[in-house]
Amino acid sequence: MGKKSRVKTQKSGSGAAVAVSPKEMLNLISELLQKCSNPNSTPGREWEEYVQIRGLVEKIRKKQKGLSVVFDGKREEYFPELMEWCKENGASTEGFELTEFPEEGFGLKAIREIKAEELFLWVPRKLLMTVESAKSSVLGPLYSQDRILQAMGNITLAFHLLCERANPNSFWLPYIKTLPNEYDTPLYFNEDEVQYLQTTQAIIDVFSQYKNTARQYAYFYKVIQTHPNAIKLPLKDSFTFDDYRWAVSSVMTRQNQIPTEDGSRVTLALIPLWDMCNHTNGLITTGYNLEDDRCECVALQDFNSGEQIYIFYGTRSNAEFVIHNGFFFENNLHDRVKIKLGVSKSDRLYAMKAEVLARAGIPTSSVFALHVTEPPISAQLLAFLRVFCMDEDELKGHLIGDHAIDKIFTLGNSEFPVSWDNEIKLWTFLEARASLLLKTYKTTVEDDSKVLEQPDLTFHSSMAIKLRRVEKEILEKALKSASDNRKLYSKNLEEGTPLPKYEESNIAFVENSVANSKLPLILKNLDDEEVKLQEAMTISEITENGFLNDKDLLPNGTKSENDNILAEDNQQETGIAKEICS
C-alpha cells in the first residue's frame, strides 16, 4: 500500500552489539518510560522534548542492534508462497499478479481485462489476522489480564503480528514474510528529515506519534519481562524498539475494521493480498460479505491487462497519508488544512451566537478545514462564519419570528446570504486568517519548489517538503477565494443588489442539489467529522447510498487523523488503558 518500504535484509541476530545486562537495559527502559510519561508537552518546547526522547531511543536501539527478527532475502521472494497460500485457503488469485512499480512500490497488476465494478478480489476470514484470532493465540493469556490490550485492539494486533512472526510454524507466516521490513512513516525519519516538517500542521502529530510509540514500547517491555502471563510469549528473550516500531507501522498502514462473525460488532483486521493495493482518487469499493464471510473488492474502474489495479483509501489529507501511511499523494482531491475557530466567551453576543449555532448543530469552538477544491469551505464552516459575524439584529432574526427556522435551515447554503454586510465580514475574516496562517511558515511555495529540485534529497525529505508546500498552496487558494468573494459581495452591497429570498418552494432545489455548498446544513453536515463518521461506517461507496450489493460493509483501513493507531492518548475508564499513539 503506497510507496512505504525501503527493504533492508539482515540475518536474524547477526551483528549484535556487546551484550547488555538485563539490569542496564531495564534502567534505560525505565528512564524512557519516565521521560514519556507526561502526556502534554510544554508549549514551545516540543522539539526539545522530541530530541531528548529520540536520544534515549537511539541509545536503546544501539544496544539492541542485531537482535530483531528479520527474514533473510527480499520480500518479493516470498510473493509466490503468499499467492499459493491464499489460493489454498479460498482467496482469489487469478486476473492479477504482484509487481513492483516505479513510483508506488509493490502493488497489484492486472494480467487480464478487469471491468469497473467487477468483483475481482476476495479474501476469506480464515486468512485475516484479527483481534479475535489474537485472543485465541499465545497472546491470549496476557490479553485476558492486560487492560491496555483489552481496550486497544490496534495494540493487540501489533503484538499478535510480533508473536506470529517469531513462530516458525505460524499459519500466517506466508503473509508476514511479504510485509516490508521498514516503512516510510515519520517513525522512520531521521532527525534532519523531521526538521523539514517544522511549521507544518503535521509536526505536533509527528512528535506525539514518536513519543507515544516510545512510551508504549517501554511499558510493554516491562510487562513482557515481569508479567506471569507473558512467560510463554516468544518475545521474552528479544523485544526491541525496532520490533515494536515495525509492528506498530505494519498495523497503522494496514489495519481495517471488519464485522465479527455474528455481525454484532466490528473488530480490527489485517487483510493479506488486498493490502497490496495502492491508492488513487475515486470511491471506496471494498465491503465485507457476512453471508460468505469474506472481504470483497470490486474494480474502481476499467483496468487493462498490464495496468496497476488501484483502490481508494478514503478521504484522507496528505498530512494523514504522510503520518499514517508513509507516502504523499499528488493531486489529492481531498487534501485540506485545519483551521481552529471559536466564539469567544467574552463576546458580548456570545449567548445568542451559541444558541443559533446550537440550533444548527454546530459547536461554538471546533477544528474546521480549508479544502484544496472549490469552494474551500464546507457548509458547516460557512454557517459558523455567518453566525460568528452576525450583528445583534441578525442573531435575533435567527432566534425569534415566523421565519427563524427557515433562516437556520439555510445557514450553510451559499445561495442565501444573511446579508451582504455579513458576507463581506466573514470573507474578510477568512482572508485575514488564511494570511496569518501563511505567515507561520518559514518558506514560500517557490522556496520549497527549489529545494525539491536538489538531486541529493532523501525520499523522506522530499515527502516532508511536498507536504509543507501543499499546505501553503491550499492556504493561498483559500486566500484568493476569500478575497474574490469579499470583492463580489462588496460590489453587490454598493450596487444595492437585492438579497435572494428563501421560500418554501426552494426546498426541492436545495435538497436535490449536487453542490455541497447548496445543501442545507440541517440536512447535511459537511464538516470533516461527518466525513470521518461516514468512513467509519462503510468502505463501499460505488452507489449513491454507499452500498455494494446490499452486503455488510467494511470500514476503510487507512485511519483518519482522529481515528487511527496513532490517535492521541485517550484516558480509558480503567485509568490505564490508552491509545497506541497520537
Side-chain angles (χ1 to χ4, degrees):
M1 299 177 77
K3 187 173 181 179
K4 53 182 175 294
S5 83
R6 292 292 180 275
V7 178
K8 291 182 179 178
T9 57
Q10 75 176 63
K11 293 185 178 180
S12 176
S14 65
V18 178
V20 181
S21 70
K23 183 178 180 180
E24 182 183 357
M25 181 57 67
L26 205 55
N27 287 339
L28 282 172
I29 294 295
S30 297
E31 186 180 355
L32 178 62
L33 185 59
Q34 183 176 1
K35 184 65 183 174
C36 298
S37 62
N38 182 7
N40 299 314
S41 301
T42 304
R45 300 187 63 182
E46 292 89 355
W47 175 258
E48 180 183 342
E49 181 187 57
Y50 169 76
V51 171
Q52 290 173 354
I53 294 172
R54 188 182 182 101
L56 275 173
V57 168
E58 290 304 315
K59 188 181 295 185
I60 292 170
R61 290 185 66 230
K62 184 176 181 181
K63 293 183 180 298
Q64 294 174 337
K65 183 180 178 182
L67 298 179
S68 296
V69 176
V70 181
F71 298 109
D72 291 329
K74 299 179 179 180
R75 60 185 293 216
E76 57 264 38
E77 295 172 7
Y78 298 101
F79 285 169
E81 183 182 352
L82 171 67
M83 295 291 281
E84 184 62 29
W85 175 71
C86 288
K87 182 178 180 180
E88 289 176 355
N89 288 282
S92 59
T93 57
E94 297 181 359
F96 57 84
E97 63 184 14
L98 300 175
T99 305
E100 185 171 14
F101 295 91
E103 296 299 325
E104 296 96 340
F106 293 104
L108 295 188
K109 183 177 76 173
I111 56 176
R112 64 169 176 82
E113 185 178 352
I114 298 176
K115 292 294 186 180
E117 300 187 21
E118 175 186 343
L119 176 61
F120 74 96
L121 178 59
W122 57 88
V123 185
R125 185 184 296 272
K126 66 180 295 186
L127 289 175
L128 312 186
M129 296 187 74
T130 67
V131 172
E132 316 312 308
S133 64
K135 290 191 286 187
S136 301
S137 73
V138 68
L139 190 61
L142 180 60
Y143 178 93
S144 68
Q145 296 294 315
D146 189 272
R147 287 177 290 178
I148 294 181
L149 292 178
Q150 292 169 11
M152 302 308 303
N154 40 28
I155 298 180
T156 299
L157 206 53
F159 275 98
H160 187 26
L161 191 58
L162 282 172
C163 290
E164 296 303 319
R165 185 180 69 163
N167 177 10
N169 299 313
S170 171
F171 171 73
W172 291 283
L173 212 55
Y175 166 61
I176 297 171
K177 287 190 291 189
T178 64
L179 294 175
N181 283 349
E182 293 186 352
Y183 291 84
D184 288 320
T185 62
L187 286 175
Y188 286 84
F189 282 25
N190 64 40
E191 198 172 303
D192 290 339
E193 291 166 341
V194 176
Q195 279 277 20
Y196 283 115
L197 290 170
Q198 289 277 43
T199 72
T200 68
Q201 292 192 351
I203 191 63
I204 297 301
D205 289 335
V206 170
F207 290 156
S208 296
Q209 180 187 69
Y210 196 91
K211 177 181 179 178
N212 293 327
T213 301
R215 180 177 62 252
Q216 291 124 29
Y217 169 71
Y219 167 80
F220 280 105
Y221 184 95
K222 287 193 169 186
V223 168
I224 289 171
Q225 296 302 316
T226 60
H227 201 292
N229 283 25
I231 193 169
K232 293 184 178 180
L233 293 184
L235 310 176
K236 192 169 180 65
D237 294 332
S238 176
F239 173 52
T240 68
F241 178 83
D242 284 359
D243 289 333
Y244 188 65
R245 178 176 63 170
W246 172 83
V248 165
S249 298
S250 295
V251 173
M252 177 171 57
T253 58
R254 284 168 157 75
Q255 67 174 346
N256 287 267
Q257 288 182 325
I258 66 166
T260 53
E261 288 191 66
D262 62 3
S264 63
R265 56 190 177 84
V266 295
T267 186
L268 291 179
L270 298 177
I271 306 175
L273 200 58
W274 177 83
D275 65 9
M276 292 294 296
C277 295
N278 288 310
H279 167 81
T280 193
N281 289 314
L283 298 172
I284 296 174
T285 56
T286 303
Y288 198 89
N289 183 335
L290 265 180
E291 182 179 349
D292 294 328
D293 203 20
R294 66 187 190 181
C295 172
E296 296 181 343
C297 183
V298 302
L300 178 64
Q301 61 192 52
D302 289 343
F303 294 107
N304 295 322
S305 179
E307 292 183 337
Q308 182 173 180
I309 301 172
Y310 291 99
I311 63 173
F312 177 60
Y313 288 6
T315 56
R316 308 294 184 233
S317 68
N318 265 313
E320 292 171 308
F321 279 140
V322 169
I323 296 169
H324 308 306
N325 294 85
F327 67 87
F328 179 91
F329 184 67
E330 302 284 355
N331 302 315
N332 183 359
L333 299 181
H334 303 281
D335 218 352
R336 55 193 178 270
V337 296
K338 293 177 285 188
I339 178 171
K340 188 173 183 179
L341 299 172
V343 181
S344 172
K345 290 186 178 180
S346 63
D347 188 330
R348 181 178 64 86
L349 301 175
Y350 175 81
M352 296 177 71
K353 291 180 180 180
E355 179 60 27
V356 174
L357 288 170
R359 293 186 184 186
I362 306 173
T364 56
S365 178
S366 186
V367 177
F368 299 94
L370 298 175
H371 298 266
V372 68
T373 52
E374 285 290 340
I377 65 174
S378 66
Q380 188 180 50
L381 178 51
L382 175 62
F384 175 87
L385 290 172
R386 281 176 169 172
V387 177
F388 183 81
C389 295
M390 282 183 188
D391 60 29
E392 189 169 356
D393 288 338
E394 289 168 342
L395 288 167
K396 287 179 180 178
H398 285 74
L399 291 172
I400 56 177
D402 295 337
H403 299 289
I405 191 169
D406 291 341
K407 293 180 178 180
I408 295 290
F409 187 78
T410 58
L411 270 175
N413 191 320
S414 62
E415 295 295 309
F416 301 103
V418 173
S419 68
W420 297 133
D421 186 57
N422 181 265
E423 291 294 304
I424 294 167
K425 287 179 181 178
L426 79 87
W427 290 110
T428 300
F429 173 79
L430 190 63
E431 186 179 4
R433 283 304 294 264
S435 179
L436 285 173
L437 286 172
L438 276 168
K439 290 177 180 177
T440 64
Y441 294 87
K442 297 180 180 179
T443 59
T444 65
V445 170
E446 292 73 22
D447 294 334
D448 291 340
S449 297
K450 289 180 181 178
V451 176
L452 286 169
E453 294 174 0
Q454 297 178 4
D456 58 344
L457 207 61
T458 67
F459 176 75
H460 294 163
S461 298
S462 175
M463 185 163 50
I465 294 167
K466 286 179 180 179
L467 178 60
R468 77 182 189 194
R469 180 177 66 175
V470 80
E471 285 187 359
K472 291 190 282 279
E473 288 174 341
I474 293 171
L475 287 171
E476 287 181 352
K477 287 181 179 180
L479 182 66
K480 184 179 185 303
S481 179
S483 176
D484 290 345
N485 278 290
R486 173 180 54 79
K487 293 173 183 176
L488 171 64
Y489 293 117
S490 294
K491 181 180 179 182
N492 288 349
L493 179 64
E494 291 171 3
E495 295 178 352
T497 305
L499 279 171
K501 295 295 182 181
Y502 172 79
E503 297 178 5
E504 193 171 348
S505 59
N506 292 134
I507 191 167
F509 162 75
V510 175
E511 287 181 344
N512 294 322
S513 170
V514 296
N516 284 343
S517 62
K518 295 180 181 180
L519 289 170
L521 183 67
I522 201 167
L523 295 181
K524 184 173 180 66
N525 181 335
L526 294 176
D527 183 55
D528 292 333
E529 293 303 321
E530 170 76 5
V531 174
K532 291 166 190 168
L533 177 61
Q534 292 169 350
E535 290 168 3
M537 297 174 63
T538 176
I539 194 172
S540 301
E541 295 180 344
I542 61 169
T543 60
E544 285 187 2
N545 64 2
F547 286 85
L548 165 61
N549 299 329
D550 293 323
K551 301 295 185 183
D552 298 275
L553 300 176
L554 165 72
N556 191 321
T558 50
K559 293 297 189 176
S560 69
E561 57 200 6
N562 289 330
D563 184 20
N564 51 64
I565 195 174
L566 298 173
E568 187 65 55
D569 280 10
N570 291 326
Q571 191 73 21
Q572 302 295 317
E573 289 181 1
T574 63
I576 294 178
K578 294 179 181 291
E579 292 271 5
I580 190 167
C581 291
S582 150

